[in-house]
Amino acid sequence: MKNVARIQITSDNATQRHRSATEIRSEMILQALRNAGGRVTAPRRAVLDALLSGGDHPTAEDLALRVRDVHPDVAVSTIYRILEHLEELGVLVHVHLGHGPAVYHFAEDTHVHLVCRACGHTAPLPAATARSISRNVFNASGFQADLAHFSITGVCGACTTTQR
Amino acid sequence: MKNVARIQITSDNATQRHRSATEIRSEMILQALRNAGGRVTAPRRAVLDALLSGGDHPTAEDLALRVRDVHPDVAVSTIYRILEHLEELGVLVHVHLGHGPAVYHFAEDTHVHLVCRACGHTAPLPAATARSISRNVFNASGFQADLAHFSITGVCGACTTTQR
DNA sequence: TTAGCTGCAAAAGGTTTGCAAATTA
DNA sequence: TAATTTGCAAACCTTTTGCAGCTAA
C-alpha cells in the first residue's frame, strides 16, 4: 500500500512534469489565442502539439501529416491558416531555407540558418555572430536586419574540404 | 562637305562608343555561348539586350515583356530556359529579394540586397561590409557564405525613423 | 544535315481564397 | 445565437517539362 501510493505519487509527478514542458506552453498559447478573440479547436491544438513535439524545421506539409495522425481530415489550407494566425499573434515565424517550402519555428527559437548547397544540411549560426553581423549591417546602412527570415546559402566546411 | 564629313565621323564615333558599352559585351557573351556549343538566336539576343539596357532587378516576367516589344511571341518558358542557360555559363545569377519572383543579375554585378519590409525598397550593402560579414561567418562556422543569393530583410533607416 | 532551340500547352509545387457547413463560446 | 473555423475545391503564381516543329551552324 505504502509502496503503491509512493509509486503513484512519483508517477503523477512525472506526468505533471512532462505536461509542464509542452502542455503548459501549449495552454499559454491557446489562452493568448482566446484573448485575441480566437477559438480553440481540435486542429489548432493538434498543430501546436505537432510543433511542440516534432522535429526542428517542419513545413506546413510536415505539420499536416502529423496532425492527420490524430485528425485525419484536417486540410492543408487549415494548417496554413492556423500558422498564419499564430504568426500574427507573434507565436511563430516562418523561414525560407531554400527554394522549397517555408519552415516554421517558435518565435523565441529564432536563429540564423546556414544552408549548404552541396550537401543540403542546415546549421545554426552562433547567436553572438548573428548579433555582431546585425550590428555591422546597422552601422554600415542604418538597416535593422532580420537575418533569420531567409537562410544564408553557401558551402559548409565539410563540403569545402571534400570538394577539392 | 568638310563639315558633313566631320559630323559623320563624330556621329560614327559616338555610335561606335555606344556599341562598345553594351553591344561588345553582348557579343562576348554570345561568343561564350557559341563556344559552349550553343546557338545564337533572336530570343537570346533580345534577352541579353533587355538585361543590358533595362532596369536593375528584372524578373523573368519583366524580361519577357521587354523581349516581346521586339519579338512578340517569345514564350516565358523560353525566357526561363535562356536565363537558366546563362546561369550555367556563369554569366548570370538569380536572387530572391522576397516572397515573389526571382530577379536576375550579371554575375559580375553581384551584391547583397537589403530589402525593407515596410517600404519595399532595396538597397545594396556596401561591398566592404559584405566581405567583412562573410569573413565573420567563415571564422565562426567554417561556412563559405553566398550572402547575395537571398536578400536580407529588415527595416530600413527611413522606415525605422518614420515608424515611431 | 543535325544538334540545339523554340512555342505552346500542360503540369508541378507551394500557397491562398471563396463558400457553405460545422463548431466554439 | 453569433462569430469564428473548417473542409473542400478551385484558383493563383512562379517555374518546369514534354513534345513536335523550326533554325543556326
Side-chain angles (χ1 to χ4, degrees):
Chain A
M1 276 287 208
K2 234 172 154 185
N3 275 339
V4 170
R6 208 188 285 136
I7 284 161
Q8 281 180 333
I9 289 164
T10 309
S11 161
D12 280 8
N13 281 353
T15 304
Q16 201 83 14
R17 250 186 251 114
H18 185 258
R19 287 186 132 187
S20 25
T22 73
E23 203 154 302
I24 287 184
R25 191 158 171 211
S26 175
E27 279 313 322
M28 288 181 63
I29 295 167
L30 292 173
Q31 195 49 52
L33 219 158
R34 266 185 279 249
N35 292 346
R39 298 188 177 172
V40 172
T41 64
R44 291 182 170 193
R45 279 186 195 282
V47 167
L48 281 176
D49 288 353
L51 284 164
L52 287 162
S53 70
D56 226 8
H57 293 124
T59 64
E61 199 51 50
D62 291 339
L63 292 167
L65 290 175
R66 272 192 251 154
V67 165
R68 289 200 195 111
D69 287 347
V70 190
H71 304 279
D73 36 42
V74 172
V76 211
S77 59
T78 300
I79 304 283
Y80 276 104
R81 283 193 271 232
I82 292 171
L83 293 171
E84 188 185 14
H85 197 130
L86 291 173
E87 287 202 78
E88 278 161 10
L89 288 177
V91 173
L92 297 182
V93 295
H94 74 271
V95 177
H96 300 277
L97 293 186
H99 289 175
V103 302
Y104 292 80
H105 251 238
F106 283 101
E108 14 175 342
D109 301 343
T110 296
H111 57 279
V112 180
H113 299 83
L114 304 176
V115 179
C116 177
R117 71 164 140 257
C119 69
H121 281 185
T122 296
L125 184 71
T129 311
R131 273 192 298 276
S132 135
I133 290 173
S134 289
R135 216 178 301 126
N136 207 338
V137 171
F138 185 78
N139 292 339
S141 304
F143 187 93
Q144 304 213 282
D146 169 13
L147 294 168
H149 185 64
F150 289 107
S151 71
I152 296 178
T153 8
V155 183
C156 72
C159 288
T160 307
T161 313
T162 301
Q163 270 175 351
R164 73 187 57 182
Chain B
M1 275 286 209
K2 235 172 151 185
N3 275 339
V4 171
R6 208 189 286 135
I7 286 163
Q8 280 181 332
I9 288 163
T10 308
S11 162
D12 281 7
N13 281 354
T15 305
Q16 200 84 14
R17 250 188 251 111
H18 186 258
R19 287 185 132 188
S20 27
T22 73
E23 203 154 302
I24 287 184
R25 190 159 173 211
S26 176
E27 279 313 322
M28 287 181 64
I29 295 168
L30 292 174
Q31 194 49 54
L33 220 158
R34 267 187 277 250
N35 293 344
R39 301 191 175 170
V40 172
T41 64
R44 291 182 171 192
R45 279 185 195 283
V47 167
L48 281 176
D49 288 354
L51 283 164
L52 286 163
S53 70
D56 226 10
H57 292 124
T59 64
E61 200 50 48
D62 292 339
L63 292 168
L65 290 176
R66 272 194 251 152
V67 164
R68 289 200 195 114
D69 287 346
V70 190
H71 304 280
D73 35 44
V74 172
V76 212
S77 59
T78 299
I79 304 285
Y80 276 104
R81 282 193 270 230
I82 292 171
L83 292 170
E84 188 186 13
H85 197 130
L86 292 173
E87 286 203 78
E88 278 160 10
L89 289 177
V91 172
L92 297 181
V93 296
H94 74 271
V95 176
H96 300 276
L97 293 185
H99 288 177
V103 302
Y104 293 79
H105 252 239
F106 285 100
E108 12 175 343
D109 300 343
T110 296
H111 57 277
V112 179
H113 300 83
L114 304 176
V115 179
C116 176
R117 68 164 142 260
C119 68
H121 281 187
T122 296
L125 185 70
T129 311
R131 274 193 298 276
S132 135
I133 290 174
S134 289
R135 217 179 300 127
N136 207 338
V137 172
F138 184 78
N139 292 339
S141 304
F143 188 93
Q144 304 213 280
D146 169 13
L147 295 168
H149 185 64
F150 289 107
S151 72
I152 295 179
T153 7
V155 183
C156 72
C159 288
T160 306
T161 313
T162 302
Q163 271 176 353
R164 69 189 57 180

